[in-house]
Amino acid sequence: SLLRSEAIGIDAKRIQWTAFVIAGTVAGVAGALFAYLKGSVFPDSLGISLSVDALVMVLLGGVSIFGGSGTMVGVGLAILIVLNLRNGLGLANVDSNTQTGVVGVILIVSVMARNTLDRLRTRWDRLAPIETGGDLVTSTIGSAS
C-alpha cells in the first residue's frame, strides 16, 4: 500500500500541482519559441523528428528504458553529440529525412550496443571466480557436480 501524504508530512497534491504548472509553463514557452524560430506552425508534421532526437539523446546518454540507471552528464554529452551531428548534416545540405534516418540508425546502434554489453556483463559475472572468505571458489556453470 502507498503511504498517505499526511503520514509522512509531505503535501503531495501541492507538489504534484506545482510540477504540472511548471511543466505546462515550460512547454508553452518552448512552443512559442519554436513557432517564433520556424516562422509558422503546421500541426500535422510539427516536431516529429524532435521526438526521435529526444529518444536518441536519452538512450545514448545511458538512461535505461526500464528506469533505474543513467546520469545527467551522460545525457548532456549525448545532447551535444546529436545536436552537433544535426548541425553538421545541415551544413552539408543533407535533407531532414536523411538526417532523421541517420539519428534513427544511431538510436538502433546505441540500444543494440547497450543490450550486448549487458549480456556480456551478465555472462562474465556468471563465469568469473567468486571469492568467499579467503577461498577461491570457481563457478560451476556448465560442469557436472
Side-chain angles (χ1 to χ4, degrees):
S1 71
L2 297 174
L3 294 175
R4 300 189 67 155
S5 60
E6 297 87 21
I8 57 176
I10 296 175
D11 189 3
K13 288 189 184 279
R14 192 182 96 215
I15 291 173
Q16 185 179 21
W17 185 83
T18 303
F20 281 129
V21 168
I22 291 171
T25 303
V26 170
V29 170
L33 287 173
F34 188 77
Y36 171 74
L37 291 174
K38 293 295 183 180
S40 63
V41 178
F42 297 105
D44 57 337
S45 64
L46 185 65
I48 289 175
S49 66
L50 296 178
S51 61
V52 173
D53 286 355
L55 186 62
V56 169
M57 291 172 192
V58 169
L59 292 176
L60 189 62
V63 177
S64 173
I65 295 174
F66 304 108
S69 67
T71 63
M72 289 300 292
V73 173
V75 173
L77 291 173
I79 288 171
L80 291 175
I81 290 170
V82 173
L83 290 179
N84 283 321
L85 178 68
R86 281 273 190 187
N87 188 29
L89 290 173
L91 290 174
N93 292 326
V94 176
D95 66 337
S96 64
N97 289 332
T98 306
Q99 289 181 20
T100 303
V102 169
V103 172
V105 167
I106 291 174
L107 170 65
I108 293 169
V109 169
S110 68
V111 170
M112 288 176 59
R114 183 175 178 113
N115 288 341
T116 303
L117 288 174
D118 287 344
R119 283 190 195 131
L120 290 173
R121 188 175 304 125
T122 303
R123 286 184 185 164
W124 177 257
D125 289 343
R126 275 194 253 150
L127 297 176
I130 303 168
E131 187 172 336
T132 57
D135 296 332
L136 190 61
V137 179
T138 57
S139 177
T140 58
I141 295 177
S143 63
S145 298

